[in-house]
Amino acid sequence: MLKAVILIGGPLKGTRFRPLSLDIPKPLFPIAGLPMIQHHIESCVKIKTLNEILIIGSYNAAELVNFVQEMINIYGISIRYLQEFTALGTAGGMYHFRDQIRAGSPEAFFIMNGDVCANFPLERMIESYKETKGTLTVLATEATRPQSLNYGCLVLGKNNSIVHYVEKPSTFVSTTINCGIYLATVDVFQIMSDVFYKHQDKFMMNSNGKDPAHISLEQDILTRLAGTGKLFASETSNWWSQVKTAGAAIYANRHYLNLYRSKKPERLIPAVNGVCNVVGDVYINPSASVDPTAVLGPNVSIGPNAKISAGVRIRESIILEGAQIQAHSMVLHSIVGRGSIVGKWSRVEGTPCDPNPNKPFAKMENPPLFNSNGKLNPSISILGTSVNLAAEKILLNSIVLPHKELTKNFKNEIIL
Ligand code: GDD
Ligand code: GTP
């Protein structure tokens, strides 16, 4: 029997995802029509022997209760949210709830960072684990040399054993990086326990603001396990990306829609006899209303109860619940927030921040909002919740915080 743990962090994480995470926990932000971590859940429920999913984070349980219930209704397996009393780090939460994870004696359990998206090769990881019987198997992929510094870096030895692990090194270590997806046996709790007690001693003497129960899976556990013959990598060349910024959500949207084409084609709008004109991969929630003269795609997701009027053109964008795109407007490389309105004949446009297609193994850059001259870096445009953009206006490369009334044109601005 197997289980899975999804790590979702808490309200203090996901800051680069604002303003989209202001009114909804980032792990529930919809990508390709589904909350981000529903994609994790879908990949877990495909494994027949996996019978429980535990979501661990420090969000208030009330924010997740409806989602969890809905997931149980859809997939019919045990799914629970376990709330940390404070951010305990990537392993501290699991250690705190170890009895819940160990209950029923699972042979192994997946650990999944909630903020990555991928064509998760979970079956392949199980095979890797069966070959090595390691305490922990890390899903690994290739990055470019400069970008590898933003990730956990692994040095591989014989039979894919990890001989050296450095979390976000300051100088180059390896182009093989940690994807934030693991398969662990319950033996890992012994190592967590050693770390926990060491920390207690240290914190008694010198408290530095972190909770004494804080344990980092990467810094405290993986670095300890590396070189002991108990830590292994399972390499993948599948599509994989982090979702740290809103721009990454647009990128992930495109890839999840593309996966639907091979795995769940019924979720995509057919090119002929669909509700409207469609180019490439498009998801439309059944409760949305879309005028037949609108042209959507490629890579567009339309949320529940959204209203898309006549002559609208949308490309490479996510339109959230209840948003309205009024007649003859255009939306490109943008996210339109819940209940926002784009007036008639307006244009909302952003700049894509995709990985460099000419560099093998390139990942998304997650640039800071501002460049060194204090100017806003061009990025996708985002309308926060309940923003109203008047008719015949242009909004270019801008980020708009919730509840704004915009009556003029904006370019490269953050509208607070
Ligand atoms: N429950 C819980 N509690 N979850 C947490 C906490 C916490 O205190 N802190 C972080 N997380 C969750 C986040 O929500 C995220 O899903 C995951 O753990 C990792 O988050 P970060 O700590 O922000 O790490 P990172 O994303 O910068 O780097 C990690 O992922 C990379 C791949 O995306 C590392 O594992 C890297 O080595 C790895 O390359
Ligand atoms: P920079 O602009 O400095 O990044 O230079 P570059 O792209 O010309 O070369 P770099 O030194 O990064 O790479 C040298 C060689 O390694 C080239 O043949 C690349 O195709 C290859 N290479 C680059 N990144 C990776 C990687 O992540 N994995 C592997 N296996 N090869 C890589």
Side-chain angles (χ1 to χ4, degrees):
M1 186 263 279
L2 297 173
K3 290 195 183 191
V5 170
I6 305 177
L7 299 171
I8 61 166
L12 298 178
K13 300 283 292 177
T15 49
R16 280 178 284 173
F17 209 70
R18 289 176 187 161
L20 296 169
S21 52
L22 288 178
D23 66 337
I24 182 181
K26 172 179 151 183
L28 300 189
F29 183 83
I31 299 184
L34 302 186
M36 205 183 289
I37 57 169
Q38 190 171 346
H39 294 283
H40 295 61
I41 294 173
E42 280 208 335
S43 65
C44 289
V45 297
K46 282 204 199 107
I47 294 172
K48 297 280 174 300
T49 50
L50 192 148
N51 70 3
E52 183 167 51
I53 300 174
L54 301 169
I55 301 170
I56 303 186
S58 52
Y59 289 98
N60 191 328
E63 297 193 75
L64 280 114
V65 60
N66 291 342
F67 168 76
V68 169
Q69 191 53 51
E70 198 186 328
M71 293 301 104
I72 296 170
N73 296 347
I74 297 177
Y75 300 107
I77 79 165
S78 163
I79 302 180
R80 286 186 296 144
Y81 175 59
L82 305 175
Q83 186 187 346
E84 293 166 20
F85 51 92
T86 179
L88 293 177
T90 39
M94 285 191 284
Y95 183 67
H96 185 77
F97 292 112
R98 60 194 177 282
D99 291 343
Q100 312 262 5
I101 301 174
R102 284 192 296 217
S105 310
E107 182 184 358
F109 60 101
F110 285 101
I111 305 166
M112 307 177 87
N113 286 2
D115 65 353
V116 299
C117 53
N119 182 6
F120 297 108
L122 301 187
E123 294 281 5
R124 175 75 202 100
M125 288 181 74
I126 297 175
E127 283 167 28
S128 301
Y129 159 70
K130 287 193 171 145
E131 285 158 18
T132 62
K133 292 282 173 196
T135 303
L136 207 109
T137 304
V138 182
L139 183 68
T141 192
E142 193 77 24
T144 64
R145 220 181 134 100
Q147 287 183 333
S148 65
L149 307 182
N150 304 324
Y151 300 92
C153 293
L154 330 168
V155 180
L156 299 186
K158 262 201 200 144
N159 302 328
N160 273 343
S161 67
I162 298 175
V163 292
H164 189 52
Y165 182 90
V166 191
E167 179 64 14
K168 304 190 184 112
S170 47
T171 55
F172 176 71
V173 171
S174 159
T175 52
T176 308
I177 61 159
N178 170 6
C179 293
I181 306 289
Y182 317 84
L183 184 58
T185 65
V186 293
D187 295 345
V188 77
F189 291 119
Q190 186 52 51
I191 302 145
M192 291 183 193
S193 159
D194 296 346
V195 171
F196 181 83
Y197 285 106
K198 261 203 191 95
H199 282 188
Q200 303 302 308
D201 298 344
K202 215 165 70 195
F203 280 109
M204 293 273 252
M205 292 179 291
N206 172 23
S207 165
N208 66 358
K210 266 190 196 160
D211 193 279
H214 186 283
I215 307 174
S216 156
L217 181 61
E218 298 85 358
Q219 267 140 357
D220 296 317
I221 309 298
L222 298 186
T223 37
R224 265 193 184 70
L225 271 175
T228 62
K230 292 177 182 162
L231 185 66
F232 292 87
S234 173
E235 290 186 277
T236 183
S237 54
N238 281 7
W239 161 68
W240 171 89
S241 175
Q242 286 185 321
V243 191
K244 295 287 185 192
T245 60
I250 296 280
Y251 175 70
N253 187 55
R254 182 195 314 154
H255 282 276
Y256 274 135
L257 289 174
N258 185 261
L259 285 183
Y260 288 168
R261 192 152 286 285
S262 51
K263 296 186 173 171
K264 296 249 178 199
E266 66 281 6
R267 284 196 182 149
L268 296 175
I269 301 298
V272 282
N273 298 329
V275 284
C276 65
N277 300 301
V278 156
V279 183
D281 299 337
V282 173
Y283 166 86
I284 302 179
N285 187 284
S287 64
S289 94
V290 179
D291 189 278
T293 63
V295 183
L296 307 189
N299 308 320
V300 168
S301 296
I302 308 284
N305 302 313
K307 185 163 184 279
I308 314 296
S309 301
V312 163
R313 178 75 179 100
I314 307 179
R315 238 170 50 199
E316 303 281 349
S317 295
I318 300 176
I319 311 295
L320 296 179
E321 183 168 1
Q324 293 181 31
I325 313 297
Q326 295 185 344
H328 307 290
S329 286
M330 174 131 178
V331 179
L332 303 177
H333 301 287
S334 299
I335 297 178
V336 178
R338 238 161 289 276
S340 283
I341 300 175
V342 174
K344 287 181 187 165
W345 297 101
S346 282
R347 182 180 175 103
V348 176
E349 181 171 354
T351 303
C353 27
D354 293 349
N356 182 346
N358 300 316
K359 277 228 165 206
F361 318 114
K363 305 278 171 286
M364 286 219 40
E365 293 285 355
N366 292 327
L369 271 182
F370 298 98
N371 62 24
S372 50
N373 304 325
K375 292 234 165 75
L376 194 62
N377 274 322
S379 76
I380 68 156
S381 281
I382 306 168
L383 300 190
T385 302
S386 302
V387 168
N388 201 341
L389 177 67
E392 299 175 33
K393 296 292 170 279
I394 299 181
L395 186 96
L396 189 64
N397 296 341
S398 294
I399 298 172
V400 187
L401 266 74
H403 308 290
K404 297 286 153 203
E405 296 283 333
L406 308 180
T407 51
K408 59 184 188 90
N409 300 329
F410 289 95
K411 185 179 168 189
N412 300 338
E413 277 192 55
I414 296 187
I415 300 148
L416 296 168

